[in-house]
Amino acid sequence: SYNCLMGYMVSAGNLVEAWKVLDEMDRKGVQLDHYTVSIMMKAAKKARNPRDASRALAVLDRAGGVKVCEDDVLFNTVLDACIHRQDTERLRKVLETFASSDMKPSVHTYGLLIKAFSTLRQLWRCWQLWEEMVETRELVPNSITLSCM
């Protein structure tokens, strides 16, 4: 499948070939899905060239049918890429989507959410999420979540 091929190219660090696969998908009218977005978020993190990173993150904007908050792993991958690339505009949009969703974050996702709001310098929101995780949902923070605080 296109996603398998693209995933292999990204894992190998060959973004030039990954772009060719994405271009072929566009030419053939293949819809972007959760897997495509996830792969391209990994490409955004791996990219050495800021233009490649920006292009990979732009896949998120094109994937209108993909709901990032419906899948915990996808949501974490998107948050991680936006945080890593300091793409605060997309990060804000993703967090707005999260705020209007019914998503119940895992402990790992809480850590990334805290890190995201810290990136946006919204420390009050970090504490709010911490209280929700620990007091309201009675989840036990792990070492990763603790390090995000």
Side-chain angles (χ1 to χ4, degrees):
S1 78
Y2 288 112
N3 285 331
C4 289
L5 188 56
M6 192 181 328
Y8 175 76
M9 296 302 172
V10 168
S11 293
N14 191 344
L15 295 186
V16 171
E17 292 301 317
W19 295 131
K20 288 180 184 177
V21 173
L22 189 62
D23 291 341
E24 179 72 13
M25 289 174 69
D26 288 341
R27 274 194 300 282
K28 296 213 174 179
V30 177
Q31 292 287 330
L32 303 179
D33 61 16
H34 284 77
Y35 300 108
T36 312
V37 173
S38 182
I39 292 163
M40 295 317 298
M41 294 305 101
K42 291 173 188 168
K45 277 192 69 178
K46 275 190 149 197
R48 293 183 196 157
N49 181 329
R51 200 170 60 215
D52 281 336
S54 182
R55 184 176 178 192
L57 286 167
V59 168
L60 187 60
D61 305 332
R62 294 177 38 204
V66 175
K67 307 227 182 292
V68 296
C69 292
E70 287 181 357
D71 180 279
D72 201 47
V73 174
L74 175 62
F75 184 67
N76 291 345
T77 305
V78 169
L79 281 179
D80 200 29
C82 291
I83 292 166
H84 182 78
R85 287 294 169 181
Q86 295 290 304
D87 189 336
T88 56
E89 183 179 324
R90 280 193 184 92
L91 187 57
R92 277 187 178 85
K93 288 178 185 175
V94 170
L95 291 171
E96 286 171 10
T97 301
F98 166 74
S100 63
S101 77
D102 294 329
M103 183 181 201
K104 298 290 183 217
S106 66
V107 170
H108 182 79
T109 302
Y110 272 111
L112 283 168
L113 285 165
I114 289 166
K115 194 172 182 180
F117 281 107
S118 176
T119 298
L120 298 176
R121 306 214 188 291
Q122 295 182 19
L123 300 183
W124 64 271
R125 188 68 175 111
C126 296
W127 283 110
Q128 189 179 45
L129 285 163
W130 181 265
E131 288 176 9
E132 175 184 310
M133 177 182 65
V134 174
E135 294 175 20
T136 306
R137 297 199 48 219
E138 298 180 343
L139 297 174
V140 178
N142 60 22
S143 59
I144 295 168
T145 309
L146 288 168
S147 72
C148 292
M149 278 304 279

